[in-house]
């Protein structure tokens, strides 16, 4: 069957619609909201020394911010220009001058700075080295740096080295080269930032539908009957998407948010590129369902239970039986399982009443089309794969798959990360498929060298392996990371620092310094200056959330003299480790890499033809599973009967989750959240819960559990009862280390905690008191 393509960008309905306005106050003056004009002027001022280059990046390059895929100022969804503050915030990474030499003279002065302050120092100018006990960094030549790394790689077992690639504007060419180099060097320990965020999405969609990406496109948002944002605050993390939401609202789409916290940015938003919205704002969501943290599976089981009861009571059918019979399997098992669940346990686990669940179920039943969107609110749980398979269950039961205005979409947070696993930079996959014998044999023929059979470790497992005994074959001794800051992204920061310090040689290939770069290593830390996406010779490509593969050309402008293209660094290093086999790993140009990607991943056949600004294609067509036919052995989707997760707590305990403020990944751009006026150490509490604990708004509170303590200020927000929210990464001290989802190995980013007024906690605090308070804590990772 051929793949249907969407037509070109749609025209936005610009006719004013006052019923959608957030208010009558022009530009939301006096309201808590982002100050887009002020922020744009601030960015312009920060980039004034390279203003012309900054302008060329914005108008010629593909966005290195969120993963919606804006080429220049235009995308493939709506006609007209668009520019978001996420893209503007990261602009300085590309235009900043080199760090002044004086800063490398005293590491202790650098350690007094946070990552935001380090970022403002500028870009890494040349290779650097620092050994334990040394106060200053020593400048190296590229030959010295790469030879030292190569010598260490030759000394150790390949299982004792690991690679990691972050999400900061890294191109498909770099991901692919890193994946190939890791296997060439004999290791399968390679991981990427996308897997830490969305691996359950891929795992669940593969087992449920046979696909590993969004089944639909952004255009399907506009005109669908219902658009569901599940554990996703797109207005904050993917602000360009608000323009699509606005267009959807104009087309009559109902937008629903399912989240424990009633996110202000999803309630009302002032879209700067649309005059009507910039002036009066836009009411985004039509309704909010405030589930418990971890209560989504119960909620979805409740939806299905209502559908089965509708049929039993002859009140119509919400289930598309024709689609289910023709295109799915497992229906009988799901029905039997769901019918055994009681409404009491569904309500208790989900945190929602039966009436509210039935209301949502009826909304879906009355809709002829729907798109389900989710992000880390569903993925960063120990039962995340089941979360996503439940979403797929709903889509299949309603027949919302493989056609216009329908589909499932894991919305990505960073530019190009959809391509990271598709390029093979992942311990569980190789380019074009899973890490299975058949695909492994195919890639060995293409690459011309053997690929190790053993299962690679995730980055979390690799860092934990630093604590293994010295002679263990998997004790991590060399860690090579392209970007990334594990002190600020992983649970238990103190443990992460210990892990980084235990590594013999750590290599940080990056654009800027961050706090983890300054941590000692047992033998040496080597820092390598990398080029940005826009400096990459021969240009580069990135893959958006909707599977659009965009070409971003090399953009002329100032350069950090010794910075090198990341794919070239990998190739050079590999050739030094195995000089007698270097011809097997050689690429002369970025175009050579794209030509090989087209062979390695059949979905990317077409990438070899991308050469100019604006070139793109969408792999798989407008809809995966088109016509309901899934790319599985029998062409059918698999419905799963999914149990309620063990998600208990006792009186006085809370579920805790982390949220983002004004930041891009761990890079914080403001200490104050423009959407709710929250500060970085605020603890978001439901006012009713707080009153029971005699906590007034603004007082100091301590949040604690088995893993750590966080002191902050109580802030009353519309959070579901029994749940609290804290900012990430500040709240990472409350999260468990070494707890992974069983299918996709994603870390658990939620837990159970006790909240107490700080004066009471500190007045009584001693080890016995803390142990007594948490002795009966029903931690969510049991």
């Amino acid at each position: 069957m051929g793949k249907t393509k969407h037509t070109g960008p749609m025209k936005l309905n610009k006719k004013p619609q006052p019923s959608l306005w957030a208010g009558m106050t022009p530009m939301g003056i006096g309201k808590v909201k982002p100050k887009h004009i002020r922020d744009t002027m601030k960015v312009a001022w920060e980039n004034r020394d390279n203003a012309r280059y900054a302008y060329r990046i914005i108008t010629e390059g593909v966005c290195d911010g969120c993963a919606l895929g804006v080429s220049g100022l235009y995308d493939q969804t709506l006609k007209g220009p668009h520019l978001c503050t996420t893209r503007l915030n990261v602009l300085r990474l590309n235009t900043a001058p080199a760090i002044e030499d004086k800063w490398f003279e005293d590491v202790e002065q650098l350690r007094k700075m946070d990552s935001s302050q380090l970022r403002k120092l500028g870009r890494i100018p040349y290779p650097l080295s620092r050994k334990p006990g040394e106060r200053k960094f020593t400048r190296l030549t590229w030959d010295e740096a790469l030879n030292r790394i190569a010598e260490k790689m030759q000394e150790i077992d390949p299982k004792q080295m690991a690679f990691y690639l972050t999400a900061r504007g890294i191109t498909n060419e770099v991901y692919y080269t890193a994946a190939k180099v890791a296997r060439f060097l004999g290791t399968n320990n390679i991981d990427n930032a996308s897997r830490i965020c969305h691996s359950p999405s891929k795992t669940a969609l593969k087992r449920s539908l046979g696909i590993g990406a969004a089944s639909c496109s952004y255009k399907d948002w506009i005109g669908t009957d219902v658009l569901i944002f599940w554990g996703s605050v797109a207005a904050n993390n993917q602000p360009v998407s608000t323009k699509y939401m606005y267009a959807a609202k104009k087309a009559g789409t109902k937008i629903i948010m399912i989240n424990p916290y009633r996110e202000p940015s999803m309630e009302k938003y002032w879209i700067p590129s649309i005059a009507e919205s910039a002036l009066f704002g836009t009411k985004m969501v039509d309704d909010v369902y405030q589930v418990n943290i971890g209560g989504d599976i119960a909620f979805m089981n409740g939806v299905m239970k209502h559908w089965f009861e509708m049929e039993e009571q002859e009140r119509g059918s919400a289930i598309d039986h024709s689609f289910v019979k023709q295109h799915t399997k497992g229906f009988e098992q799901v029905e039997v399982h769901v019918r055994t669940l009681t409404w009491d346990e569904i309500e208790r686990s989900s945190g929602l009443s039966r009436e509210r669940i039935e209301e949502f179920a009826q909304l879906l039943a009355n809709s002829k089309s729907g798109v389900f969107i989710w992000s880390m609110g569903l993925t960063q749980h120990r039962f995340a794969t089941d979360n996503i398979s439940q979403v797929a269950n709903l889509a299949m039961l309603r027949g919302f798959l493989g056609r216009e205005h329908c589909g499932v979409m894991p919305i990505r947070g960073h530019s190009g990360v959809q391509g990271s696993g598709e390029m093979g930079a992942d311990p569980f996959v190789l380019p074009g498929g899973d890490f299975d014998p058949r695909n492994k044999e195919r890639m060995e023929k293409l690459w011309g060298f053997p690929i190790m059979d053993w299962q690679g470790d995730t980055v979390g497992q690799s860092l934990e392996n630093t604590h293994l005994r010295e002679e263990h074959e998997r004790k991590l001794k060399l860690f090579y990371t392209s970007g990334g800051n594990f002190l600020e992204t992983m649970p238990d920061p103190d443990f992460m620092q210990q892990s980084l310090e235990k590594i013999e040689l750590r290599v940080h290939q990056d654009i800027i310094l961050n706090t983890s770069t300054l941590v000692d290593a047992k033998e040496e830390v080597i820092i390598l200056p990398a080029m940005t996406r826009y400096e990459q010779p021969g240009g580069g490509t990135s893959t958006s959330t909707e599977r659009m593969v965009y070409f971003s050309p090399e953009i002329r402008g100032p350069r950090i003299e010794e910075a090198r293209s990341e794919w070239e660094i990998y190739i050079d290093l590999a050739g030094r480790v195995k000089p007698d086999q270097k011809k097997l790993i050689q690429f002369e140009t970025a175009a050579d890499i794209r030509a090989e990607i087209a062979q390695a991943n059949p979905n990317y056949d077409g990438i070899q033809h991308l050469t100019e600004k604006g070139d793109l294609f969408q792999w798989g067509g407008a809809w995966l599973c088109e016509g309901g036919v899934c790319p599985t052995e029998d062409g059918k989707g698999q419905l799963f009967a999914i149990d309620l997760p063990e998600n208990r707590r006792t009186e006085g305990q809370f579920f805790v989750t982390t949220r983002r403020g004004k930041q891009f990944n761990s890079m914080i751009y403001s200490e104050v959240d423009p959407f709710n006026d929250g500060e970085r150490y605020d603890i978001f509490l439901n006012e009713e819960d707080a009153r029971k604990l005699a906590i007034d708004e603004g007082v100091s509170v301590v949040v604690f559990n088995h893993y750590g303590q966080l002191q902050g200020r109580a802030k009353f927000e519309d959070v579901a009862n029994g749940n609290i929210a804290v900012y990430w990464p500040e709240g990472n001290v409350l999260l468990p280390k070494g707890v992974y989802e069983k299918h996709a190995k994603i870390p658990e980013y939620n837990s159970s905690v006790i909240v107490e007024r700080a004066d009471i906690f500190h007045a009584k605090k001693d080890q016995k008191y803390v142990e007594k308070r948490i002795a009966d804590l029903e931690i969510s990772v049991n």
Side-chain angles (χ1 to χ4, degrees), residues 393-437:
N393 281 347
L394 295 185
M396 284 186 278
L397 290 176
R398 287 293 298 125
F400 291 172
L401 196 65
R403 58 187 174 92
E404 189 176 19
H405 297 146
C406 292
V408 291
M409 177 179 283
I411 191 168
R412 305 286 183 162
H414 302 294
S415 178
V417 293
Q418 176 64 42
S420 57
E422 292 166 348
M423 298 298 105
D426 183 312
F428 303 112
V429 303
L430 289 168
D434 293 330
F435 198 101
D436 57 73

Side-chain angles (χ1 to χ4, degrees), residues 124-416:
I124 299 166
Y126 38 70
L128 295 160
S129 164
R130 195 176 66 80
K131 296 179 180 178
E134 293 180 347
R135 289 184 65 88
K136 70 174 187 177
F137 286 92
T138 301
R139 183 173 182 171
L140 300 177
T141 66
W142 272 101
D143 283 337
E144 288 172 329
L146 293 181
N147 283 339
R148 288 189 195 182
I149 301 167
E151 288 168 8
K152 186 66 177 179
M153 288 180 168
Q154 290 168 338
E155 290 175 10
I156 63 176
D157 189 309
K159 291 182 180 178
Q160 296 175 324
M161 71 173 80
F163 292 85
Y164 174 82
L165 294 92
T166 189
R168 52 128 179 84
I170 289 179
T171 61
N172 286 326
E173 291 80 357
V174 174
Y175 284 126
Y176 180 81
T177 305
K180 184 175 182 180
V181 163
R183 273 58 183 235
F184 174 76
L185 296 176
T187 187
N188 289 319
N189 297 330
I190 180 168
D191 206 354
N192 68 83
S194 173
R195 203 203 56 75
I196 294 177
C197 297
H198 266 293
S199 53
S201 299
K202 180 178 179 179
T203 304
L205 291 178
K206 287 283 283 186
R207 75 174 188 175
S208 292
L209 303 171
I211 61 177
S215 73
C216 57
S217 306
Y218 298 126
K219 285 183 181 177
D220 293 306
W221 295 17
I222 304 167
T224 186
D225 285 351
V226 62
L227 187 60
I228 313 293
F229 286 90
W230 219 303
S232 173
V233 189
N236 188 10
N237 300 318
Q238 299 92 3
V240 176
S241 68
T242 58
K243 191 172 182 179
Y244 310 156
M245 293 185 223
Y246 173 87
K249 295 285 287 186
K250 285 281 186 107
T253 297
K254 286 188 178 296
I255 301 180
I256 306 298
M257 175 170 65
I258 300 169
N259 208 55
Y261 175 39
R262 199 175 184 109
E263 289 281 355
S265 65
M266 293 291 284
E267 294 263 25
K268 299 175 182 178
Y269 196 84
W270 282 256
I271 305 168
S273 61
I274 299 172
E276 178 188 18
S277 183
L279 278 172
F280 301 110
T282 302
K283 297 175 187 175
M284 289 296 182
V285 298
D286 292 277
D287 204 350
V288 181
Y289 292 83
Q290 292 178 268
V291 296
N292 275 334
I293 296 164
D296 304 280
I297 287 174
F299 179 36
M300 288 183 266
N301 272 323
V303 170
M304 289 184 277
K305 185 174 181 67
H306 179 66
W307 289 347
F308 289 128
E309 289 177 350
M310 283 175 62
E311 295 192 343
E312 187 178 78
Q313 297 164 11
E314 297 183 352
R315 290 187 288 125
S317 177
I319 297 167
D320 185 338
H321 285 283
S322 175
F323 184 94
V324 168
K325 183 177 181 180
Q326 188 174 355
H327 299 297
T328 74
K329 55 188 177 183
F331 177 79
E332 292 77 11
Q333 293 91 325
V334 170
E335 182 174 12
V336 169
H337 167 69
V338 169
R339 287 186 182 280
T340 64
L341 299 174
T342 68
W343 277 110
D344 182 62
E345 60 186 333
I346 289 171
E347 288 179 312
R348 188 168 58 250
S349 181
S350 69
L352 291 166
S353 67
R354 175 176 178 175
E355 290 72 25
R356 283 289 279 161
I357 296 171
E358 290 180 339
E359 182 182 283
F360 178 72
Q362 198 63 49
L363 172 67
L364 293 182
N366 294 338
S367 300
K368 295 181 180 179
S369 58
V371 177
F372 297 91
I373 300 158
W374 67 88
S375 190
M376 289 178 283
L378 287 190
T379 63
Q380 291 189 327
H381 290 270
R382 70 189 187 282
F383 40 79
T385 297
D386 284 347
N387 273 342
I388 313 307
S389 282
Q390 277 283 70
V391 176
N393 281 347
L394 295 185
M396 284 186 278
L397 290 176
R398 287 293 298 125
F400 291 172
L401 196 65
R403 58 187 174 92
E404 189 176 19
H405 297 146
C406 292
V408 291
M409 177 179 283
I411 191 168
R412 305 286 183 162
H414 302 294
S415 178

Side-chain angles (χ1 to χ4, degrees), residues 87 100 143 148 186 256 259 381 440 587 602 626 642 645 700:
R87 188 177 185 187
E100 295 180 32
D143 283 337
R148 288 189 195 182
I256 306 298
N259 208 55
H381 290 270
K440 176 175 170 290
F587 290 118
E626 189 169 352
I642 296 175
S700 183

Side-chain angles (χ1 to χ4, degrees), residues 341-641:
L341 299 174
T342 68
W343 277 110
D344 182 62
E345 60 186 333
I346 289 171
E347 288 179 312
R348 188 168 58 250
S349 181
S350 69
L352 291 166
S353 67
R354 175 176 178 175
E355 290 72 25
R356 283 289 279 161
I357 296 171
E358 290 180 339
E359 182 182 283
F360 178 72
Q362 198 63 49
L363 172 67
L364 293 182
N366 294 338
S367 300
K368 295 181 180 179
S369 58
V371 177
F372 297 91
I373 300 158
W374 67 88
S375 190
M376 289 178 283
L378 287 190
T379 63
Q380 291 189 327
H381 290 270
R382 70 189 187 282
F383 40 79
T385 297
D386 284 347
N387 273 342
I388 313 307
S389 282
Q390 277 283 70
V391 176
N393 281 347
L394 295 185
M396 284 186 278
L397 290 176
R398 287 293 298 125
F400 291 172
L401 196 65
R403 58 187 174 92
E404 189 176 19
H405 297 146
C406 292
V408 291
M409 177 179 283
I411 191 168
R412 305 286 183 162
H414 302 294
S415 178
V417 293
Q418 176 64 42
S420 57
E422 292 166 348
M423 298 298 105
D426 183 312
F428 303 112
V429 303
L430 289 168
D434 293 330
F435 198 101
D436 57 73
R438 192 165 152 187
N439 197 40
K440 176 175 170 290
E441 181 181 357
R442 183 182 69 87
M443 289 309 303
E444 286 176 331
K445 287 180 180 178
L446 177 62
W447 284 346
F449 55 80
I451 299 170
M452 299 299 103
D453 287 318
W454 49 273
Q455 173 61 56
D457 290 324
T458 66
V459 68
Q461 292 169 318
S462 289
L463 289 169
E464 289 166 19
N465 287 347
T466 60
H467 297 263
L468 295 171
R469 63 183 187 277
E470 197 63 34
E471 65 275 14
H472 196 286
E473 66 171 3
R474 291 217 181 194
K475 182 178 178 65
L476 184 65
K477 296 185 177 181
L478 187 151
F479 185 43
Y480 193 116
T481 175
S482 293
N485 185 353
F486 295 94
L487 293 183
E488 299 181 19
T489 55
M490 297 292 279
D492 199 336
D494 289 342
F495 178 80
M496 281 298 117
Q497 176 156 344
Q498 295 168 20
S499 300
L500 293 173
E501 290 172 342
K502 288 178 177 290
I503 299 168
E504 293 178 1
L505 174 60
R506 239 178 35 247
V507 182
H508 294 264
Q509 180 173 297
D510 214 336
I511 297 169
I512 54 174
L513 298 176
N514 63 52
T515 52
S516 69
T517 325
L518 309 177
V519 174
D520 283 345
K522 284 183 72 174
E523 295 178 1
E524 187 175 15
V525 173
I526 292 177
I527 302 172
L528 303 176
M531 285 183 172
T532 70
R533 163 183 296 188
Y534 308 113
E535 296 167 344
Q536 182 172 298
T541 60
S542 61
T543 309
S544 76
T545 291
E546 60 179 346
R547 298 173 277 107
M548 291 281 187
V549 184
Y550 291 89
F551 180 78
S552 188
E554 179 182 359
I555 300 172
R556 58 188 172 82
R559 293 288 187 267
I560 300 299
E561 187 175 343
E562 292 197 41
R564 296 182 64 185
S565 169
E566 298 201 64
W567 66 262
E568 291 180 304
I569 300 171
Y570 283 117
I571 294 300
D572 192 347
L573 174 62
R576 294 169 192 253
V577 179
K578 294 185 176 183
D580 57 330
Q581 301 178 53
K582 63 187 298 183
K583 65 179 181 180
L584 296 175
I585 202 74
Q586 200 64 37
F587 290 118
E588 296 297 331
T589 67
D592 292 341
I593 304 174
R594 290 191 283 275
E596 187 169 298
I597 290 172
Q599 298 178 64
N601 188 331
N603 284 331
Y604 278 74
D605 188 9
I607 194 172
Q608 68 273 34
H609 304 307
L610 306 184
T611 58
E612 303 290 338
K613 171 189 171 183
D615 285 354
L616 72 139
F617 71 97
Q618 184 180 31
W619 71 256
W623 305 289
L624 302 183
C625 304
E626 189 169 352
V629 180
C630 295
T632 56
E633 286 188 9
D634 58 5
K636 293 186 175 184
Q638 176 69 59
L639 292 159
F640 284 92

